Amino acid sequence: MSVLGRPAPQAAPQSYAACAHCGAPSSTRFCCTGCEGAHHLVQGLGLDAFYRKREAADGNLKPVDPPNLDFAAHAVAQKDGTHRLELVVSGLTCGACIWLVEQALAAEPDVRRARANLSTRRLVIGWEGPAERANDFSALIARLGFRVAPFSPACLRATEDAEGRELARALGIAAFGAMNVMLVSVPVWVGVELGEQSRHLMHWLAALIGMPTVLIAGMPLYRGAWRGLQAGRLNMDSAVSLGVIATTLMSLSETFRNGEYTWFDGATALLALMLAGRLLDRAARRRARQSVAELLALQEGQVQVLGAPAPIPVERVAVGARILVASGERLRLDARLDDAEALLDTASTTGESLPRRFARGEQLAAGGVNMGAPFTATVTATATDGSLAAMGRFLERAEQARGRFPALADRAARIYIPIAHVVALLTFLGWWLWVGAPWQAALVPAVAALIITCPCGLAIAVPAVQVVTSGALFRRGVLVASSTGIERLASADHVVLDKTGTLTEGRPRLLPGAWNDEDLREAASLARRSRHPLAQALVRACPDAPVAEGVEEFPGQGLRQGKTRLGSARFCGLGEDRTGMGLHLARPGQAPVAFRFADALRPDAAAAIAAFQRAGLSVELLSGDAPEVVARVAAEAGIEAHRGGASPEAKAARIAELAGQGKRVLMVGDGVNDAAALASAHVSAAPAEGMDVAQAASDFVLQGGGLLPLAEAISRARLAQRVAAQNIGFAFLYNIVAVPVAILGFATPLIAALVMASSSLAVIANALRLQKEMR
Amino acid sequence: MDILVWLIPLALFLGGLGLLGFLWAMRSGQYEDLDGAAARILFDDDDVRKDKR
């Protein structure tokens, strides 16, 4: 990790390229007064080593207004008289961040404990003194540039934590049991001159260790099997549970009558293997879920209701309440505008690339950010009935629907498990009734058949391939977030792309035009006063322009300084302008100047589209933006099918329509407005810089941001799919050879173990062969 | 063979110690933040007053 040795940002003396605190592009030392304050705070605490430790910064440390929540209510009094507060901290990205947060809190005299968790982005603070200190601490962290929200069990399902912990504990116990049972089983297997009595002792020892292990460590699997049975279907869990339990009972009866062999070692080892696989599977997907939890926690907030003395929590705001939305604040509830007009940036909910103006009486959807003057609005839906909540519910439903997509291994198991069970049953009946053996003796070959057919090779056939493929994709910047994602990607035959942020970079850029440097400089100095995306684009084009004085902003229209105006054509008195993204500069005595902007295509967009088409996928562009803009981008990227003005519902409906035509849709999008479509598509991907909700709804996260790796991932996924199918074939083949051995009663544990191990090894070797091809 | 009477309980005892250690480590939350642990090792906390437990 290159944490150390990175030069401090302030090392560059004059030409500042980045803000010394948050790292955002800036022409001055600090990009805003918030960062300046944060920087002084960090230095005042003697913690400026933070800037040397920090790995990467991209402006995400820009301080926000201190949270207006009452954190004291979330502080929990401890038995020893101290208080404890749990926070979700957004922006914790590297070791330096947890260092800074912990050190800054440790500098407070009454703090006893401050521990930040980088994996879960949670912070635990313990202090001596009144609960009200909670507000000071959260304000301190906010001033350092991290966004904080109280952690509530509701936002992160506590059961997930408990489940993971239970799996890990079960694995530890199973591994311990398996190793120690083997210790006493090896002498029996190898058959060194053991007397009857010592063998009996060994059996009992193995039973003593094996029984509790199987009982305790197997619980997660038994529960899975039970749930499967209740739903009326056999899954891998039920096969493994039956195998383990049958083996254990059989071994126990053999122990009692001092039979030749017991199988406790096989049962415990199988359990440990299955639990290990389960745990790995969970770990891969935890991160994606984490981001949803974080987002939900940060959306909790307070709303200023007119007439109320203080802001009240969003969930307590009733329909009909009149709320005040400050500049820059996010509208948290669906509402109807009461003021004459309002300017909302709805990019995250509708995908429109520019802020939109609303008139009195218009319906405002929750999620937009107020880019203009403060406005008042009447709430039309409570937090639990509003559009954001509805979207969340839809996401959940779509996610569950896709969860029903059976993994390849499960489909194989569905055919395989009944056959294995029937074979075992027939073996038992055959030995008992046909050969005429006593029923206890007839059980031995039956259980041996059950062990040999245990879906061990089958269970690792697909995961082995997935581990190799996920690794290869990860090195190319494609993160696999779903256990069946690779399988579904391999079968996709139609791509639906979102425009802003997916096909394009999502940041308007100034196009060359009929203006000179002096015009640009003057416009940029005015634009420094505005947060409008186009104004920001102007500032980016001319970062060293001074900040103009005496500028008035007319939200949604433009800026005025004396008689100079910068803004829309109408605002500058130039009539209507329908050519899309543009800003006009009107100065007294000079001809007006027009600045045009475009949201640039990602550099690899056209190549990626071509690669999709080469792979046999049809491509379609679906965007919430204006149809003309969409058409232009589609032409540029080489896409024939395109559609603009699509609402989130329309996007999801289009996906459903395509699915109805039998298409397997790969959806790529980055916004909250895409989340529903992403979740309902056959398979989906989101760029890493997109919204958390979009990433959570996706099977793949594109780290580099480009689309080309995704297009390449399709061919790799198809290759992986072929190898997985081969592996399942192998596993079947081995069993076909091995099963007669078991049925005929030749299967000593040694032979059974050899067969099982060799089938697993063959499967792993085949997966490793894939690694070479993926390179 | 007599030696097994000693060796097997000894092996079980040592294995059991390992299991107890694992359960203790998990209960005390040492597997909670694997990402953070990787970064923490790089902190040279000479002037640190952290964890004043």
Side-chain angles (χ1 to χ4, degrees):
Chain A
M1 210 184 280
S2 63
V3 182
L4 306 167
R6 191 186 175 85
Q10 61 261 50
Q14 274 311 309
S15 62
Y16 301 106
C19 171
H21 178 71
C22 74
S26 165
S27 53
T28 46
R29 183 155 177 219
F30 298 105
C31 64
C32 59
T33 50
C35 280
E36 192 170 355
H39 187 81
H40 290 315
L41 176 66
V42 171
Q43 273 193 324
L45 289 167
L47 299 175
D48 39 341
F50 166 68
Y51 297 110
R52 291 191 297 277
K53 286 175 192 280
R54 176 168 64 182
E55 221 177 321
D58 48 9
N60 58 11
L61 276 186
K62 194 172 282 199
V64 286
D65 296 332
N68 60 356
L69 282 167
D70 181 25
F71 284 86
H74 294 273
V76 183
Q78 302 290 298
K79 266 180 257 154
D80 55 355
T82 60
H83 280 89
R84 184 186 141 99
L85 178 68
E86 272 193 67
L87 295 172
V88 176
V89 185
S90 179
L92 278 185
T93 50
C94 63
C97 297
I98 58 177
W99 180 84
L100 179 68
V101 166
E102 287 178 5
Q103 298 298 308
L105 286 169
E108 297 284 319
D110 50 352
V111 170
R112 293 290 294 275
R113 179 176 144 77
R115 184 85 179 177
N117 184 326
L118 188 57
S119 299
T120 59
R121 295 181 199 138
R122 228 184 288 169
L123 170 68
V124 183
I125 313 171
W127 69 94
E128 285 171 351
E132 281 67 39
R133 288 282 283 159
N135 288 323
D136 302 343
F137 298 140
S138 40
L140 173 71
I141 298 160
R143 275 166 63 208
L144 291 174
F146 301 94
R147 291 198 291 163
V148 288
F151 171 82
S152 66
C155 67
L156 193 106
R157 277 167 289 169
T159 53
E160 296 226 330
D161 260 38
E163 246 176 62
R165 224 170 290 157
E166 197 201 344
L167 269 181
R169 193 169 49 226
L171 174 61
I173 294 170
F176 163 81
M179 283 189 273
N180 286 290
V181 171
M182 269 179 209
L183 185 79
V184 293
S185 297
V186 167
V188 184
W189 274 19
V190 181
V192 282
E193 296 150 32
L194 273 180
E196 284 269 309
Q197 259 185 326
S198 346
R199 195 179 65 198
H200 207 175
L201 177 75
M202 293 295 183
H203 282 348
W204 272 111
L205 265 174
L208 218 62
I209 310 165
M211 290 294 296
T213 305
V214 166
L215 264 181
I216 301 168
M219 281 323 267
L221 292 178
Y222 306 150
R223 264 205 300 274
W226 180 240
R227 271 198 299 269
L229 280 181
Q230 278 177 325
R233 55 170 201 245
L234 290 171
N235 50 17
M236 207 61 113
D237 278 346
S238 55
V240 174
S241 300
L242 183 71
V244 167
I245 292 173
T247 313
T248 310
L249 290 181
M250 184 66 226
S251 304
L252 196 64
S253 105
E254 288 295 289
T255 306
F256 271 111
R257 61 183 205 108
N258 194 12
E260 216 169 330
Y261 297 113
T262 57
W263 289 272
F264 288 111
D265 51 337
T268 46
L270 175 60
L271 208 54
L273 274 177
M274 293 303 296
L275 287 169
R278 188 70 52 89
L279 202 62
L280 286 176
D281 189 45
R282 260 185 70 85
R285 273 174 298 164
R286 197 179 62 179
R287 198 166 286 254
R289 292 198 187 148
Q290 196 65 46
S291 56
V292 190
E294 202 178 318
L295 186 86
L296 288 179
L298 291 172
Q299 267 178 352
E300 285 181 7
Q302 294 186 319
V303 176
Q304 180 64 60
V305 175
L306 289 184
I312 61 173
V314 66
E315 58 268 23
R316 278 200 265 140
V317 179
V319 172
R322 295 191 63 210
I323 56 172
L324 177 71
V325 182
S327 295
E329 188 183 335
R330 191 177 284 274
L331 179 65
R332 297 176 199 275
L333 293 158
D334 292 335
R336 199 176 49 245
L337 185 61
D338 291 340
D339 285 357
E341 68 172 24
L343 185 72
L344 277 181
D345 178 3
T346 58
S348 62
T349 48
T350 63
E352 280 170 281
S353 50
L354 291 179
R356 195 176 132 202
R357 204 155 353 143
F358 291 85
R360 191 193 306 275
E362 266 192 271
Q363 185 67 37
L364 312 175
V369 176
N370 182 7
M371 301 295 283
F375 63 83
T376 56
T378 305
V379 175
T380 55
T382 58
T384 47
D385 301 332
S387 54
L388 276 182
M391 194 175 282
R393 278 196 297 274
F394 182 84
L395 263 180
E396 227 161 82
R397 252 204 326 275
E399 192 66 25
Q400 280 165 3
R402 198 167 50 183
R404 283 201 290 274
F405 176 87
L408 185 60
D410 270 342
R411 271 176 290 167
R414 204 168 291 171
I415 310 167
Y416 180 79
I417 290 164
I419 297 179
H421 290 180
V422 168
V423 165
L425 184 69
L426 288 180
T427 309
F428 172 69
L429 293 177
W431 277 90
W432 185 33
L433 300 177
W434 194 48
V435 181
W439 68 270
Q440 293 97 330
L443 263 179
V444 178
V447 170
L450 206 57
I451 298 174
I452 272 195
T453 57
C454 139
C456 219
L458 194 63
I460 61 168
V462 176
V465 169
Q466 274 183 346
V467 167
V468 170
T469 315
S470 308
L473 292 184
F474 180 74
R475 281 192 292 280
R476 284 173 180 77
V478 180
L479 189 72
V480 184
S482 152
S483 60
T484 56
I486 293 172
E487 290 173 28
R488 283 181 278 128
L489 183 65
S491 61
D493 58 9
H494 186 86
V495 192
V496 176
L497 295 164
D498 171 48
K499 184 183 74 71
T500 316
T502 305
L503 201 56
T504 67
E505 289 180 336
R507 280 201 335 177
R509 280 206 187 147
L510 183 61
L511 297 175
W515 38 263
N516 57 37
D517 288 350
E518 197 45 50
D519 298 333
L520 175 62
R521 201 178 162 77
E522 199 167 340
S525 74
L526 278 170
R528 275 194 169 269
R529 289 285 177 185
S530 172
R531 274 202 303 252
H532 192 278
L534 293 185
Q536 296 283 315
L538 263 186
V539 175
R540 275 197 297 277
C542 182
D544 54 346
V547 182
E549 293 298 327
V551 177
E552 258 185 291
E553 176 158 15
F554 296 86
Q557 303 178 56
L559 300 151
R560 191 178 71 186
Q561 180 195 32
K563 286 188 172 160
T564 308
R565 283 168 181 247
L566 175 73
S568 69
R570 204 168 44 156
F571 179 69
C572 297
L574 302 168
E576 276 304 314
D577 178 15
R578 295 206 167 273
T579 48
M581 293 195 275
L583 276 182
H584 298 262
L585 178 66
R587 287 163 296 187
Q590 290 184 47
V593 183
F595 296 97
R596 301 256 160 247
F597 300 86
D599 192 2
L601 277 186
R602 286 184 187 273
D604 64 352
I609 304 298
F612 279 129
Q613 285 160 345
R614 263 201 313 280
L617 284 77
S618 42
V619 184
E620 173 176 342
L621 184 62
L622 187 62
S623 169
D625 219 333
E628 305 89 64
V629 183
V630 176
R632 199 166 56 229
V633 171
E636 233 177 297
I639 303 173
E640 278 171 23
H642 57 82
R643 193 167 127 195
S647 65
E649 294 78 24
K651 286 188 177 189
R654 173 70 183 146
I655 301 289
E657 181 191 336
L658 285 165
Q661 293 168 13
K663 301 240 190 213
R664 291 163 181 259
V665 178
L666 164 62
M667 169 83 202
V668 193
D670 74 325
V672 171
N673 57 320
D674 301 313
L678 286 167
S680 52
H682 181 62
V683 54
S684 51
E689 61 280 34
M691 298 290 289
D692 292 344
V693 168
Q695 289 181 25
S698 302
D699 302 304
F700 296 90
V701 177
L702 309 174
Q703 298 286 357
L707 287 173
L708 198 54
L710 181 66
E712 290 169 352
I714 292 179
S715 59
R716 293 210 165 73
R718 288 179 179 167
L719 181 64
Q721 205 51 12
R722 270 201 304 280
V723 173
Q726 275 172 14
N727 270 353
I728 288 180
F730 263 137
F732 269 111
L733 197 71
Y734 261 95
N735 287 313
I736 290 170
V737 175
V739 164
V741 178
I743 294 176
L744 297 176
F746 295 121
T748 63
L750 195 62
I751 293 179
L754 277 181
V755 170
M756 251 164 69
S758 54
S759 87
S760 304
L761 281 180
V763 159
I764 290 174
N766 199 26
L768 289 180
R769 187 179 61 85
L770 179 70
Q771 194 160 31
K772 220 178 280 173
E773 283 184 45
M774 290 259 176
R775 214 162 267 155
Chain B
M1 274 304 151
D2 292 346
I3 193 71
L4 285 182
V5 178
W6 292 101
L7 282 186
I8 289 179
L10 188 67
L12 285 181
F13 173 70
L14 289 178
L17 276 189
L19 180 65
L20 283 182
F22 170 72
L23 292 179
W24 166 80
M26 210 168 65
R27 188 170 295 246
S28 64
Q30 304 208 14
Y31 296 102
E32 305 265 298
D33 184 16
L34 300 175
D35 302 309
R40 273 171 208 279
I41 197 167
L42 296 171
F43 302 165
D44 40 337
D45 22 13
D46 20 325
D47 56 344
V48 174
R49 308 188 298 130
K50 82 167 177 195
D51 258 296
K52 294 169 282 186
R53 261 176 297 187

